Amino acid sequence: METIKEQNVLNISPTISTEEISKLIRSLPNGKAPGPDGIPNEVLKVAAPVIAKDLAEAASHYFASGIIPESLKESITVVLCKEGKKDYSLPGSYRLIALENTLVKVLEKHVANIISKAAEEHRLLPWNQMGARRKRSTLSAVGLLSSCVQTAWQTCRGCVVLMLSLDLAGAFNNVSYKRLLHILKRKGFLK
């Protein structure tokens, strides 16, 4: 009988420091619409020196417990018309924008930073993935593509190099959350 290999679990601290909270708040862009809490980023930046310690303690508690209060999950969805559409009776003629609570944006940014850092440190992403990674850009992707073409030409003089490029429009909205959770568990982010 085969034994199931024990999953690797990444040890990620649920604690966030006052300094980290302060840095995340400072990085919030100005001029963005607030969510249901009605707190503009500019106000949170002014209040940060006074409330950062309490926010860090509350966030650390939420991360450790894995329970986020329902009030922080609320958002306001705004429907915007896409310019230049011929038929505005079609749903595809509109863009939905979710306005989240300002404090949630700070917490989400922290979690995104942790996941990105762990993915890089533990080499959980393919070497050739360019999107959504630090120190990689469209220029990195073009450089990789150019290098592959040059290598093919050097290997087989006079050959023709073909490329297939896909634009998966709307892919993010159709991701299976069950599959995503399975992958995160397999990569060690969930127990």
Side-chain angles (χ1 to χ4, degrees), residues 41-183:
N41 292 344
E42 295 84 352
V43 170
L44 190 58
K45 288 178 178 183
V46 170
V50 177
I51 63 172
K53 183 177 183 286
D54 291 331
L55 282 177
E57 289 174 7
S60 296
H61 170 74
Y62 295 145
F63 291 144
S65 71
I67 299 170
I68 304 294
E70 291 300 317
S71 62
L72 292 181
K73 297 177 186 178
E74 295 174 357
S75 65
I76 298 170
T77 302
V78 179
V79 181
L80 301 176
C81 294
K82 294 180 181 176
E83 287 187 36
K85 294 294 182 177
K86 292 180 182 177
D87 186 355
Y88 284 98
S89 67
L90 299 173
S93 299
Y94 299 90
R95 175 177 288 113
L96 301 177
I97 307 284
L99 303 175
E100 296 179 308
N101 284 315
T102 304
L103 297 175
V104 171
K105 293 176 193 175
V106 174
L107 300 181
E108 286 178 350
K109 181 65 176 160
H110 176 67
V111 171
N113 289 345
I114 288 173
I115 290 172
S116 294
K117 183 178 177 190
E120 294 295 339
E121 287 177 357
H122 296 278
R123 299 174 192 223
L124 301 176
L125 301 172
W127 67 270
N128 57 353
Q129 178 177 326
M130 300 295 163
R133 293 180 79 174
R134 291 186 192 277
K135 299 181 182 175
R136 299 195 188 195
S137 65
T138 303
L139 290 176
S140 303
V142 170
L144 176 61
L145 176 62
S146 176
S147 174
C148 290
V149 170
Q150 294 293 332
T151 301
W153 282 343
Q154 289 173 359
T155 304
C156 181
R157 299 261 181 225
C159 71
V160 175
V161 178
L162 301 175
M163 179 181 80
L164 172 64
S165 177
L166 300 173
D167 181 7
L168 303 176
F172 179 78
N173 299 334
N174 297 305
V175 170
S176 165
Y177 74 91
K178 289 180 181 177
R179 182 79 179 135
L180 181 58
L181 291 174
H182 171 75
I183 291 168

